[in-house]
Amino acid sequence: MEIWRLPISASQRGKLISAGYTSLSSLSSISSSDLARELNVSESEAMNILKVASHSRGSETSNASCSIVEGAQSAWDMLHDEESLMHITTSSADLDNILGGGIHCKEVTEIGGVPGIGKTQLGIQIAVNVQIPNDFGGLGGNSIYIDTEGSFMVERAFQIAEACIEDMSEYNRFLRKDFQECKIKMQPQDILENIFYFRICSYTEQIALINYLDKFLSEHKDVKVIVVDSVTFHFRQDFDDMALRTRVLSGMALKLMNLAKRFSLAVVLLNQVTTKHTEASFQLALALGDSWSHTCTNRIVLYWNGNERYAYIDKSPSLRSA
Amino acid sequence: MANKLISEIPLPKSIANVFSARNISTAKDALTLTEFELMELLDVGLTEVRSALSQISEIVAPPYQTALSLMEQRFQNEHLGGHFPTGLKGLDAALCGGIPFGVLTELVGPAGIGKTQFCLKLSLLASLPTNYGGLDGRVIYIDVESKFSSRRLLEIGLRSFPEIFQMKEMAQEMAGRILVLRPTSLAEFTQSLEQIKVSLLQKQVKMLVIDSMAALVSGEHEQGARRQQTLSWHISFIKSLAEFSRIPVVVTNQVRSRNHEDASRYSFQVQSRDGAIGTTMQYDSHLVAALGIQWAHAVTTRLVLEAKSGERFIKVAKSPISPPLAFPFHITSSGILLLSDDGKEVMGPEINAIHCQGHNEIINFGMEGLH
């Protein structure tokens, strides 16, 4: 690993190179006071540089069997991990089927569709379903609902929560006919209490919030799903610099994926549609452009087909288009 | 929140100085750059950049609320839990109480179907005191097409609430609460909006009506995507206005005929259904709402008014809380009257379609009914 890859400031790097240290091995044998003298920096700065250097180098020379490159996992271990992961049901058996059991944890799923097709409804449903307790096959976790458009209606969430509890009691009665009636102790209010609601009014707040979620999630370890409704709204208004928009969006997507993997939760992003001119005709496509389409792991498009709503899996690493 | 100055955020002194030296003064500037860009720009290490960013983010990020506390807050502080009853029982039941506060509600329909009448009735209702079902406050009515008729307003008032409007002082008081603005261009509209935002709370404005949004934009000669961009600032401004003041905002929209530029299919649909494209087109009506798909995403509730086989219907086309229902209605001297409080459930994309059949007969019938 070379010096220019180290995460230190540009001036420190410049000093290292001009003093003749171009590779890490050259830093391995020097002491911090000598380094400080050579580079003309303070001793604590020199110690810092050496610490960073040895940290990056340590990953290369470690001998543990599955840490050939630090942070990597062997594919076999990953398979075990994936099988033990639970899914969040969407309350629609067909949709769960094509999703392979439900919304996957540790992945980012994007759901898009025309206005009025039910994206917000699906988002609220997922935020409620994640709270189904483990006994009923759910994750028993909390949810974060990030609202950028103001379309979260509390009354509707209450209705969905009531229906969910009714479903659970029916399931209970159906399955445990022989045993005693285990009463469902959950009330709709409890479900609502476990939905953390954030209202965002600009894209700066959106970026700030996703940065802050890191800290929030370490304090609230029960959160199992983050629903963002919708991720496009603030990015479609007054953004003149398209290159900046792409950069900001991809940075945000990476952070979300990072959160999903580290805290083992599912991230659901709701997207709007726009018209795209392709092959001499106008078609509907999900908003935010082509570069955004690469950033999410799974993509579901909701559309009208005749009189019914259909879902189409547009992109997924492990599921077929359906 | 976005434009919060870095100097106001409690960062360690060294970093704060560097930020200001490099001309990054607001949180917005800092957050739109990536970590590596900031490292290059500020000449500090990664850990310092990360901790500075996380501190800035923590301050700029909005606080959270649990959905439960949100519900309790709404029920305690707001009129009927955040809904404005329209007086049309079936519609109110479908909308869980009435027109929701804090979000945009759109009325779309062909010309002459009753959008302005509905707006007049709503403005009147909002100005009434709370024991009559009103919001007891002022209403700002932005009348772009000069359709506001104060005589008609008073007629509606007289027929619906005779006990108030027969007394001249009361009628004057109620009508005095409705402020009408007539912007002649988009620029004037923008100016008025900004003024409204400033004085909204002091002047006790309880509802905003914009009639009609489409007329503002059609005056500007731009097509398609450019037109949507012109509007996008206004869309987010009106939404944020509604949001922070928690008032109902009603906007009317016109219709236009569908042109070949209107997309209605996704790429995967086109590929798999080559034979069936012709047949599905028959289900769509030839009228669509003006203002495009970005506007359609931005409104929370969409009420479609249409005329079908000689009858008028008001349909709840898009709403986070109601099923897709259609109610037949009549325009009467006291405003709008629903002919039936049980809506008819409409399946599928039919709910979004706008029909204009038998419209001429209705207009003639209506004229007779009014006299």
Coordinates of all heavy atoms in Angstrom, one line a residue, chain A residues 112-141:
Chain A
G112 N -41.0 1.9 -6.9 CA -41.5 3.1 -7.5 C -42.8 2.9 -8.2 O -43.2 1.7 -8.5
G113 N -43.5 4.0 -8.6 CA -44.7 3.9 -9.3 C -45.4 5.2 -9.5 O -44.9 6.2 -9.0
V114 N -46.4 5.2 -10.3 CA -47.1 6.4 -10.6 C -47.8 6.9 -9.4 O -48.1 6.2 -8.4 CB -48.2 6.2 -11.8 CG1 -47.5 6.1 -13.1 CG2 -49.1 5.0 -11.5
P115 N -48.2 8.2 -9.4 CA -48.9 8.7 -8.2 C -50.2 8.0 -8.0 O -51.0 7.8 -8.9 CB -49.1 10.2 -8.5 CG -48.8 10.4 -9.9 CD -47.9 9.3 -10.3
G116 N -50.5 7.7 -6.7 CA -51.8 7.1 -6.4 C -51.8 5.6 -6.5 O -52.9 5.0 -6.4
I117 N -50.7 5.0 -6.8 CA -50.7 3.5 -6.9 C -50.6 2.8 -5.6 O -50.9 1.6 -5.4 CB -49.7 3.0 -7.9 CG1 -50.0 1.6 -8.4 CG2 -48.3 3.1 -7.3 CD1 -49.6 1.3 -9.7
G118 N -50.1 3.5 -4.6 CA -50.0 2.8 -3.3 C -48.6 2.7 -2.7 O -48.4 1.8 -1.8
K119 N -47.7 3.5 -3.1 CA -46.3 3.4 -2.6 C -46.3 3.8 -1.1 O -45.7 3.0 -0.3 CB -45.3 4.3 -3.3 CG -45.4 4.2 -4.8 CD -44.3 5.0 -5.4 CE -44.6 6.5 -5.4 NZ -45.8 6.9 -6.2
T120 N -46.9 4.9 -0.8 CA -47.0 5.3 0.6 C -47.7 4.2 1.5 O -47.2 3.9 2.6 CB -47.7 6.6 0.8 OG1 -47.1 7.6 0.0 CG2 -47.6 7.1 2.2
Q121 N -48.7 3.6 0.9 CA -49.5 2.6 1.6 C -48.5 1.4 1.9 O -48.5 0.9 3.1 CB -50.6 2.1 0.8 CG -51.6 3.1 0.4 CD -52.3 3.8 1.7 OE1 -52.8 3.1 2.5 NE2 -52.1 5.1 1.8
L122 N -47.8 1.0 0.9 CA -46.9 -0.1 1.1 C -45.8 0.2 2.1 O -45.4 -0.6 2.9 CB -46.2 -0.5 -0.3 CG -45.5 -1.8 -0.3 CD1 -46.5 -2.9 0.0 CD2 -45.0 -2.0 -1.7
G123 N -45.3 1.5 2.0 CA -44.3 1.9 3.0 C -44.8 1.8 4.4 O -44.2 1.3 5.3
I124 N -46.1 2.3 4.7 CA -46.6 2.3 6.0 C -46.9 0.8 6.4 O -46.6 0.4 7.6 CB -48.0 3.1 6.1 CG1 -47.8 4.5 5.7 CG2 -48.5 3.0 7.5 CD1 -49.1 5.3 5.7
Q125 N -47.3 0.0 5.5 CA -47.5 -1.4 5.8 C -46.3 -2.1 6.2 O -46.3 -2.8 7.2 CB -48.1 -2.1 4.5 CG -48.4 -3.6 4.7 CD -49.7 -3.8 5.4 OE1 -50.7 -3.4 4.8 NE2 -49.7 -4.3 6.5
I126 N -45.2 -1.8 5.5 CA -43.9 -2.4 5.9 C -43.4 -1.9 7.3 O -43.0 -2.7 8.1 CB -42.8 -2.1 4.9 CG1 -43.2 -2.8 3.6 CG2 -41.4 -2.6 5.3 CD1 -42.2 -2.5 2.4
A127 N -43.7 -0.6 7.6 CA -43.3 -0.1 8.9 C -44.1 -0.7 10.0 O -43.6 -0.8 11.1 CB -43.5 1.5 8.9
V128 N -45.3 -1.1 9.7 CA -46.1 -1.8 10.7 C -45.7 -3.3 10.8 O -45.6 -3.9 11.9 CB -47.6 -1.7 10.4 CG1 -48.5 -2.6 11.2 CG2 -48.0 -0.2 10.6
N129 N -45.6 -3.9 9.6 CA -45.3 -5.4 9.6 C -44.0 -5.8 10.3 O -43.8 -6.9 10.7 CB -45.3 -5.9 8.2 CG -46.7 -6.1 7.7 OD1 -47.6 -5.9 8.4 ND2 -46.8 -6.4 6.4
V130 N -43.0 -4.9 10.3 CA -41.7 -5.2 10.9 C -41.9 -5.5 12.4 O -41.1 -6.1 13.0 CB -40.7 -4.1 10.6 CG1 -40.9 -2.9 11.4 CG2 -39.3 -4.7 10.8
Q131 N -43.0 -4.9 12.9 CA -43.2 -5.0 14.4 C -43.9 -6.3 14.8 O -44.1 -6.6 16.0 CB -44.0 -3.9 14.8 CG -43.3 -2.6 14.5 CD -44.1 -1.4 15.1 OE1 -44.7 -1.5 16.1 NE2 -44.0 -0.3 14.4
I132 N -44.3 -7.1 13.8 CA -44.9 -8.4 14.1 C -43.9 -9.2 15.0 O -42.8 -9.4 14.6 CB -45.3 -9.2 12.9 CG1 -46.3 -8.4 12.0 CG2 -45.8 -10.6 13.2 CD1 -46.6 -9.1 10.7
P133 N -44.4 -9.7 16.1 CA -43.4 -10.4 17.0 C -42.9 -11.7 16.4 O -43.5 -12.3 15.5 CB -44.2 -10.6 18.3 CG -45.6 -10.3 18.0 CD -45.7 -9.6 16.7
N134 N -41.8 -12.1 17.0 CA -41.1 -13.3 16.5 C -42.0 -14.6 16.5 O -41.8 -15.4 15.6 CB -39.8 -13.6 17.4 CG -38.7 -12.6 17.0 OD1 -38.6 -12.2 15.9 ND2 -38.0 -12.3 18.0
D135 N -42.9 -14.7 17.5 CA -43.7 -15.9 17.5 C -44.6 -16.0 16.3 O -45.0 -17.1 15.9 CB -44.7 -15.8 18.7 CG -44.0 -15.5 20.0 OD1 -42.8 -15.9 20.1 OD2 -44.6 -14.9 20.9
F136 N -44.9 -14.9 15.6 CA -45.7 -14.9 14.4 C -44.9 -14.9 13.2 O -45.5 -14.6 12.1 CB -46.7 -13.8 14.5 CG -47.7 -13.9 15.6 CD1 -47.4 -13.4 16.8 CD2 -48.9 -14.5 15.4 CE1 -48.4 -13.5 17.9 CE2 -49.9 -14.6 16.4 CZ -49.6 -14.1 17.6
G137 N -43.6 -15.1 13.3 CA -42.8 -15.1 12.1 C -42.3 -13.7 11.6 O -41.9 -13.6 10.5
G138 N -42.4 -12.7 12.5 CA -42.0 -11.4 12.1 C -40.7 -11.1 12.8 O -40.1 -11.9 13.5
L139 N -40.2 -9.9 12.6 CA -38.9 -9.5 13.2 C -39.0 -8.8 14.6 O -38.1 -8.7 15.3 CB -38.2 -8.5 12.3 CG -37.5 -9.2 11.2 CD1 -38.3 -9.1 9.9 CD2 -36.1 -8.6 10.9
G140 N -40.2 -8.4 14.9 CA -40.4 -7.8 16.2 C -39.5 -6.5 16.4 O -39.0 -6.3 17.5
G141 N -39.3 -5.8 15.4 CA -38.4 -4.6 15.5 C -39.2 -3.3 15.3 O -40.3 -3.3 15.1

